[in-house]
Amino acid sequence: MQLTGLQRQELLLAIIIAYPNEADLKRMVSFELEENLNAIAG
């Protein structure tokens, strides 16, 4: 998937707004990775 520069900026801003601190972002990434791994392994 290729993103334009503007799309990348918008995505980054959305992530920063949704996960304003590092702990929240780490939890989200960890949860999403686990969900994807469970789907693959399951």
Side-chain angles (χ1 to χ4, degrees), residues 8-30:
R8 290 184 72 165
Q9 287 177 325
E10 290 174 344
L11 180 57
L12 180 57
L13 182 58
I15 291 170
I16 290 169
I17 290 169
Y19 305 98
N21 63 58
E22 187 176 347
D24 290 338
L25 181 58
K26 284 182 178 179
R27 270 193 296 277
M28 184 277 300
V29 170
S30 177

Side-chain angles (χ1 to χ4, degrees), residues 28-42:
M28 184 277 300
V29 170
S30 177
F31 176 77
E32 288 298 324
L33 287 175
E34 178 139 341
E35 286 294 311
N36 289 337
L37 291 175
N38 286 338
I40 292 168

